[in-house]
Amino acid sequence: MVLLLLRLFWTFFLIGLFGFGGGYAMISMIQSEIVNRYHWLSTGEFTDIVAISQSTPGPIGINSATYVGYCSVVNAGYSHAWGVAGSAVATFAVVLPSFILMLIISRFLLRYYKHPAVEHTFSGLRPAVVGLLAAAALLLMNEENFGSWSQSPWQFSVSILLFAFAFISQHVYKMSPIRIIVLCGLAGLVLM
Amino acid sequence: MFEMFFTFMRIGLFTIGGGYAMIPLIEEQVVRRKAWVSAEELIDLIAVAQSCPGIFAVNISIFIGYRRRGTLGALACTLGAVLPSFIIILAIALVFRQFRDNEIVERIFRGIRPAVVALIAAPVFRMAKSAKVNRYNVWIPVVAAIAIWLLGVSPIYVIMLAGIGGYVYGQYIKE
């Protein structure tokens, strides 16, 4: 148990430390560490967490740390109380690097943030974060989220349509994510 | 101190859909209502908080808290920003797991999942624009995505390598 909590702490500490580019980029780290490496959650569960994080108040990074912390402990067979401890550990760990870094920066480094060395570093970092985000989306395009043509052609086709609908309404029409999630949830209820 | 805690609690509570939705709220509360920082200062803080790792909203609250009251102030603001989501998500986690296998919930989430994938895919293009991706550096996101997606490389290494690469290129090769 203690080992699992320590691992959770360390994993989320790293996610907080290297989480450049905000919540969405963090999602790709959570996915690769929590789902693909440690198998604390299934891909389906992970996608549900993202949906819940996006439609509830608060930063996505905090929401997903809290949720993942709880679920990984309970999935490992421990009680709800330990699950609450897990979510507290993960949330604390994801915030801690920010806290340390921000204090150092506000104290000493605020005037250096326009320094060429910093700008050069970010000229490599920024495009890479875009790649991170693309990888997160590509990794989620799988059977667990879309179903498969051979098992259920109907579910697969509806999934593709909903994906296209959500993408266009967000990218072109800037519809709010909550509205998209609610509409697609209703479509799922009626059609699948 | 309590005022700072509650102000950031309100900001945390009313932001749905991630950090950037918070900016107008922070502006209204912190600049116009309480005048804790000036509008120009806030723009600088946003630029720094964006380029630092971690959760944007948390970074901003630490900055403003520290400006006002030092480390304790930073602590009060961070707690305020984090606590509402923590409690709400914990409540949802406790309840949702019992309903997850329910037939109706399952159908709803079967519809939601493809939409979530689209919601993650859509900002890729928006971010590419703001990260100034052009035909000379477009290989960076492409290689990063392929390394993570097909080769299973951890994003942490990708970030480290990209930062070091950018630094070395800018300092020693371009000059």
Side-chain angles (χ1 to χ4, degrees):
Chain A
M1 180 67 237
V2 176
L3 190 71
L4 179 60
L5 286 182
L6 279 176
R7 273 222 184 113
L8 261 179
F9 177 85
W10 180 238
T11 309
F12 274 97
F13 185 83
L14 287 180
I15 290 170
L17 189 60
F18 292 100
F20 289 92
Y24 284 109
M26 234 174 227
I27 284 174
S28 96
M29 290 199 180
I30 295 178
Q31 187 190 18
S32 96
E33 297 298 306
I34 309 290
V35 180
N36 299 345
R37 189 160 163 218
Y38 290 119
H39 307 290
W40 284 332
L41 296 176
S42 70
T43 315
E45 269 180 304
F46 176 74
T47 317
D48 295 349
I49 291 177
V50 179
I52 289 169
S53 301
Q54 268 173 330
S55 33
T56 46
I60 289 172
I62 298 287
N63 290 351
S64 37
T66 306
Y67 204 110
V68 170
Y70 177 83
C71 289
S72 355
V73 172
V74 174
N75 281 356
Y78 297 100
S79 69
H80 293 290
W82 280 114
V84 176
S87 70
V89 165
T91 311
F92 175 69
V94 85
V95 172
L96 192 62
S98 292
F99 206 80
I100 299 168
L101 274 173
M102 287 303 112
L103 286 192
I104 295 172
I105 290 172
S106 2
R107 232 176 246 188
F108 309 106
L109 293 175
L110 210 46
R111 58 209 137 110
Y112 290 116
Y113 93 95
K114 282 185 175 151
H115 191 276
V118 177
E119 255 167 46
H120 289 149
T121 308
F122 277 101
S123 70
L125 266 182
R126 278 192 211 106
V129 168
V130 177
L132 243 67
L133 199 55
L138 289 167
L139 280 168
L140 288 175
M141 291 181 190
N142 58 18
E143 232 173 80
E144 241 182 295
N145 289 330
F146 285 80
S148 69
W149 178 261
S150 53
Q151 259 182 18
S152 157
W154 172 249
Q155 193 202 334
F156 185 75
S157 318
V158 173
S159 297
I160 297 288
L161 277 177
L162 290 178
F163 174 85
F165 162 76
F167 187 89
I168 292 168
S169 24
Q170 164 71 21
H171 191 63
V172 182
Y173 298 105
K174 314 267 176 272
M175 195 192 276
S176 107
I178 300 173
R179 188 178 287 181
I180 294 172
I181 288 175
V182 170
L183 286 176
C184 290
L186 281 175
L189 184 63
V190 176
L191 297 173
M192 301 215 255
Chain B
M1 207 70 94
F2 278 111
E3 204 190 346
M4 288 162 80
F5 174 80
F6 283 116
T7 303
F8 275 89
M9 200 170 110
R10 194 173 308 153
I11 293 170
L13 200 55
F14 287 107
T15 317
I16 298 181
Y20 297 100
M22 272 181 145
I23 296 177
L25 243 151
I26 292 180
E27 222 183 352
E28 197 225 72
Q29 291 283 332
V30 175
V31 177
R32 262 174 280 153
R33 256 205 217 166
K34 319 262 177 189
W36 284 340
V37 292
S38 72
E40 291 78 39
E41 260 180 312
L42 185 69
I43 291 171
D44 272 1
L45 289 183
I46 288 173
V48 179
Q50 264 174 338
S51 43
C52 285
I55 296 145
F56 175 69
V58 171
N59 290 351
I60 282 274
S61 43
I62 296 171
F63 260 138
I64 294 173
Y66 184 80
R67 276 283 165 100
R68 291 282 300 163
R69 285 281 167 87
T71 311
L72 266 180
L75 209 60
C77 288
T78 313
L79 264 180
V82 169
L83 220 52
S85 351
F86 181 76
I87 293 167
I88 292 171
I89 292 290
L90 205 56
I92 291 175
L94 281 163
V95 177
F96 180 64
R97 287 181 58 85
Q98 287 155 26
F99 289 102
R100 202 168 172 264
D101 298 325
N102 176 292
E103 171 71 16
I104 292 172
V105 174
E106 209 162 277
R107 263 158 55 188
I108 292 173
F109 271 87
R110 244 181 254 157
I112 288 177
R113 284 179 195 161
V116 169
V117 181
L119 287 178
I120 295 176
V124 171
F125 301 96
R126 218 180 315 134
M127 265 177 86
K129 212 185 265 172
S130 60
K132 298 198 180 73
V133 172
N134 52 43
R135 63 196 156 114
Y136 301 108
N137 64 6
V138 72
W139 63 272
I140 301 176
V142 171
V143 169
I146 289 173
I148 299 167
W149 176 42
L150 295 178
L151 307 176
V153 177
S154 163
I156 293 172
Y157 297 124
V158 173
I159 285 291
M160 277 158 92
L161 207 72
I164 295 169
Y167 176 77
V168 170
Y169 177 77
Q171 295 289 97
Y172 304 105
I173 300 171
K174 213 167 88 188
E175 304 298 304

